[in-house]
């Protein structure tokens, strides 16, 4: 049974270990050789989405929905049908027109990756504990990233897959160092440095084909007593916020502040000078009973601060069907947006935010429960329908107006209640652009009275 066909491609079924039909594809007559990587779209005509999932029994409808709804796909391998993780990524790239990234853990040698067998069979490349035995959590060996040969091996695998045209880049999970109980402090730093070296070398190896390396570690740890830090790993083009706005959720309801989400919004808006010109952010919002499996809070918080080169994903696990088919994506994923205006900051604390898009769509979030206003997130789309649909445009506008009235912007210093290290400075009208380099970076926001300000950090910070 043919599920989907394209010129010079055939899609067929492979029976997996769980007895399900798995849709995969292979190119007919395709030669392996260097070819340009597919590039991520920076178009904000709709909310830019990425998907991260394991191979499963995809249907023709699944593949069509991926192609029309997502900007990129990360394929995390599974043990089925005799296909390695590398082959699974290749088949998905042949079945889709999107950029496809392969999941490459910077920590574990995953059992489904053919390349990991070299690490599993080489005791010298396995990280060992104080007892001299290999660390083998979850029956996975840990790369000893303190060894240059291991770093070089990791990079060579990524470079080879890209040069063969099997993938358009890689997503590196577990890139934030080693479990602190496993190694002394000095060796922990050496391990983390080895991960950063492998990540930077992998990005450099992908550059000839225009490939992308995304690391799952948005903040680098600061050295004790040092004032230096970096917003993310040097040398890579992208990072993931894996638990994007995890404390901002429908189920919160009571007094309090979504402090983590506020920090991420402020951090994303106020990044160092020039970082948005070449950087990619993936914001992954976990769906759970806590937020009623509703992507709305995470998605709208993302729309407040996102920029061309930022992408959103909502998921319950790593499975396409559970993550996307139950989300009624037509209600929000395909709504027209267009270029965003500067985010509007509605109070001194950075709790209330709104933003308009070229299509006329508007979004609003309140990250703090105060003055009778609960935490909330809503959108009024270009056609005046709303998300949630039951709210209605008139009620949405009334809520924003009430919020602005009750939390008026006073004549007190505008940065008085912003959490450190964020500050605001008035700047001349110059449209939606990064702040002047003389201010050290950041981005423009507009206060509720219409003043254009530069939101920036006094010093780049790490959590």
């Amino acid at each position: 049974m043919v599920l989907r066909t394209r010129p010079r491609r055939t899609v067929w079924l492979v029976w997996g270990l769980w007895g399900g039909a798995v849709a995969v594809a292979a190119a007919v007559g395709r030669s392996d050789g260097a070819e340009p990587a597919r590039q991520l779209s920076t178009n904000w005509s709709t909310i830019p989405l990425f998907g991260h999932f394991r191979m499963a029994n995809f249907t023709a409808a699944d593949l069509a929905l991926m192609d029309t709804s997502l900007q990129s796909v990360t394929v995390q391998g599974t043990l089925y049908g005799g296909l390695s993780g590398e082959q699974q990524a290749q088949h998905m790239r042949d079945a889709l027109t999107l950029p496809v990234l392969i999941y490459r853990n910077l920590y574990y040698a995953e059992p489904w990756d053919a390349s990991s067998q070299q690490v599993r069979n080489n005791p010298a490349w396995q990280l060992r504990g104080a007892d001299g035995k290999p660390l083998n959590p979850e029956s996975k060996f840990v790369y000893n990233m303190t060894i240059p040969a291991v770093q070089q091996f990791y990079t060579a695998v990524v470079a080879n897959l890209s040069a063969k045209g099997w993938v358009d880049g890689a997503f590196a999970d577990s890139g934030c160092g080693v479990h602190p109980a496993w190694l002394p402090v000095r060796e922990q730093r050496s391990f983390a440095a080895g991960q950063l070296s492998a990540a930077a070398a992998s990005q450099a190896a992908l550059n000839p084909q225009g490939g992308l390396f995304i690391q799952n570690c948005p903040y680098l740890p600061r050295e004790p007593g040092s004032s230096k830090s970096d917003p993310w790993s040097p040398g890579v083009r992208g990072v993931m916020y894996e638990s994007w706005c995890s404390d901002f959720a429908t189920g919160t309801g009571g007094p309090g502040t979504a402090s983590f989400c506020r920090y991420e919004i402020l951090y994303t808006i106020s990044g160092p000078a020039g970082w948005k010109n070449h950087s990619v952010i993936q914001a992954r919002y976990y769906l759970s009973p806590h937020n009623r499996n509703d992507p709305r809070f995470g998605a709208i918080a993302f729309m407040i601060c996102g920029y061309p080169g930022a992408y959103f994903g909502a998921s319950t696990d790593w499975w396409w069907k559970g993550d996307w088919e139950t989300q009624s994506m037509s209600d929000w994923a395909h709504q027209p947006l267009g270029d965003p205006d500067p985010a509007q900051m509605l109070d001194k604390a950075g709790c209330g935010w709104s933003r308009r898009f070229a299509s006329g769509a508007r979004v609003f979030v309140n990250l703090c429960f105060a003055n009778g206003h609960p935490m909330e997130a809503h959108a009024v789309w270009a056609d005046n329908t709303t998300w949630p649909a039951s709210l209605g445009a008139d009620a949405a506008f009334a809520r924003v107006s009430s919020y602005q009235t009750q939390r008026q912007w006073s004549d007190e210093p505008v940065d008085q209640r912003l959490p450190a290290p964020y500050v605001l400075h008035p700047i001349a009208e110059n449209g939606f652009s990064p702040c002047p380099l003389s201010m050290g970076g950041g981005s423009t926001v507009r206060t509720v009275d219409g003043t254009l300000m530069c939101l920036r950090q006094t010093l780049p910070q790490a959590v």
Side-chain angles (χ1 to χ4, degrees), residues 11 15 30 37 65 99 102 122 161 183 196 199 205 232 249 262 309 358 365 383 390 398:
V11 180
W15 288 95
R30 175 178 171 178
L65 185 59
I102 188 170
N122 189 341
L161 292 172
L183 293 176
L196 296 179
W232 58 38
R262 179 173 63 171
V365 299
D383 61 0
S390 59

Side-chain angles (χ1 to χ4, degrees), residues 62 75 114 120 123 131 166 200 244 275 287 355 406 412 414 437:
D62 292 330
V75 177
R120 298 170 69 85
D131 59 1
W166 284 24
W244 170 257
W275 78 325
L287 300 173
R355 197 178 197 184
Q406 292 194 29
E412 299 172 1
V414 294
L437 292 179

Side-chain angles (χ1 to χ4, degrees), residues 244-369:
W244 170 257
C245 283
S246 60
D247 58 350
F248 185 35
T250 309
T252 303
T257 299
S259 299
F260 188 65
C261 187
R262 179 173 63 171
Y263 184 94
E264 291 191 318
I265 288 175
L266 290 167
Y267 195 95
T268 301
I269 290 175
S270 63
W275 78 325
K276 296 179 183 177
N277 296 333
H278 62 272
S279 61
V280 170
I281 282 179
Q282 290 185 339
R284 182 174 186 236
Y285 184 68
Y286 277 96
L287 300 173
S288 68
H290 173 63
N291 53 44
R292 302 176 191 172
N293 291 307
D294 186 352
R296 173 166 51 96
F297 277 56
I300 294 178
F302 169 81
M303 285 189 273
I304 290 291
C305 61
Y307 59 90
Y311 305 86
F312 177 75
S315 60
T316 55
D317 199 347
W318 301 114
W319 299 104
W320 168 262
K321 291 185 178 296
D323 291 352
W324 295 101
E325 288 192 344
T326 60
Q327 289 190 27
S328 300
M329 291 177 64
S330 60
D331 294 344
W332 59 278
H334 302 291
Q335 292 288 347
L337 293 178
D339 292 337
D341 288 344
Q344 188 176 37
M345 196 172 177
L346 302 181
D347 58 71
K348 297 187 297 295
C351 289
W353 296 84
S354 65
R355 197 178 197 184
R356 293 178 61 95
F357 297 83
S359 67
R362 286 149 284 187
V363 293
F364 167 77
V365 299
N366 174 24
L367 303 172
C368 309
F369 185 100

Side-chain angles (χ1 to χ4, degrees), residues 59-279:
T59 66
D62 292 330
L63 296 172
L65 185 59
M66 293 176 199
D67 251 344
T68 58
S69 300
L70 304 178
Q71 304 283 11
S72 70
V73 165
T74 296
V75 177
Q76 184 169 351
T78 55
L79 292 169
Y80 80 88
L83 296 178
S84 67
E86 294 90 340
Q87 290 170 321
Q88 293 169 40
Q90 178 199 16
H91 289 323
M92 283 300 294
R93 190 177 189 273
D94 288 333
L96 300 171
T97 63
L98 305 170
V100 172
L101 309 182
I102 188 170
Y103 178 97
R104 292 293 302 166
N105 203 297
L106 266 169
Y107 198 67
Y108 299 132
E110 300 284 9
W112 50 75
D113 291 338
S115 57
S116 73
Q117 296 307 311
Q118 187 164 341
V119 178
R120 298 170 69 85
N121 296 332
N122 189 341
W125 283 11
Q126 299 163 11
L127 189 67
R128 296 172 180 269
D131 59 1
K133 296 180 180 180
L135 295 169
N136 189 19
E138 304 177 31
S139 299
K140 304 173 184 178
F141 290 102
V142 178
Y143 292 112
N144 188 346
M145 281 293 177
T146 66
I147 300 176
V150 176
Q151 302 167 26
Q152 294 161 9
F153 168 76
Y154 183 98
T155 296
V157 171
V158 173
N160 183 51
L161 292 172
S162 173
K164 291 169 67 175
W166 284 24
V167 298
D168 302 293
F171 166 76
D173 202 3
S174 306
C176 298
V178 69
H179 193 290
W182 290 353
L183 293 176
V185 172
R186 180 177 296 179
E187 292 181 40
Q188 290 177 34
R189 292 174 179 170
S190 178
F191 185 94
Q195 286 185 313
L196 296 179
S197 177
S202 296
Q203 179 62 77
L206 291 169
N207 285 338
Q209 279 79 44
L212 173 66
F213 192 89
I214 295 179
Q215 187 165 344
N216 189 5
C217 192
Y219 311 107
L220 290 184
R222 297 177 66 186
E223 291 290 333
S226 172
S227 62
K228 296 181 179 180
S229 65
D230 196 284
W232 58 38
S233 303
V236 302
R237 287 177 52 200
V239 296
M240 176 190 278
Y241 293 89
E242 183 169 357
S243 298
W244 170 257
C245 283
S246 60
D247 58 350
F248 185 35
T250 309
T252 303
T257 299
S259 299
F260 188 65
C261 187
R262 179 173 63 171
Y263 184 94
E264 291 191 318
I265 288 175
L266 290 167
Y267 195 95
T268 301
I269 290 175
S270 63
W275 78 325
K276 296 179 183 177
N277 296 333
H278 62 272
S279 61

Side-chain angles (χ1 to χ4, degrees), residues 390-414:
S390 59
L391 179 60
D394 290 342
F397 296 143
R399 286 190 185 184
V400 177
S401 177
S402 173
Y403 184 93
Q404 294 179 193
T405 299
Q406 292 194 29
R407 303 196 65 165
Q408 291 183 3
W409 200 283
S410 70
D411 293 332
E412 299 172 1
V414 294

